Amino acid sequence: MENTLPKMGTTVRVKSFARGDRAGRERLLTMGLTPGTELTVTRVAPMGDPIEIRVRGFALSLRKDEFALLTLEAVD
């Protein structure tokens, strides 16, 4: 599920981050997207950017390139 957008309404868990973009990783961590955190994709703009997710009880919009930094795993 790495670097692919889950279907809307799907809940996934943050597994890790892509290597190389330390600033992007720190920005995501500051927003509460730590490994083990579950998120749900709630909206995707018509051109695919931005992507709105529900995480820790609030809505958060991420750009495609920010979302691509996340390595996700399915929630059982």
Side-chain angles (χ1 to χ4, degrees):
M1 186 168 287
E2 297 172 23
N3 295 331
T4 60
L5 183 63
K7 293 181 182 178
M8 287 194 319
T10 304
T11 300
V12 293
R13 184 177 299 119
V14 177
K15 184 176 177 183
S16 63
F17 300 95
R19 296 194 180 274
D21 188 351
R22 184 176 177 163
R25 178 177 169 256
E26 288 178 8
R27 201 167 38 253
L28 292 171
L29 287 168
T30 301
M31 289 187 251
L33 292 167
T34 57
T37 302
E38 292 184 3
L39 62 93
T40 304
V41 176
T42 55
R43 291 184 187 170
V44 179
M47 298 299 283
D49 195 22
I51 300 160
E52 183 179 284
I53 61 172
R54 189 114 184 111
V55 60
R56 298 183 185 265
F58 66 94
L60 177 65
S61 290
L62 297 174
R63 293 283 179 200
K64 245 184 189 177
D65 58 339
E66 292 173 322
F67 194 85
L69 295 175
L70 298 170
T71 301
L72 306 170
E73 61 185 359
V75 175
D76 295 328

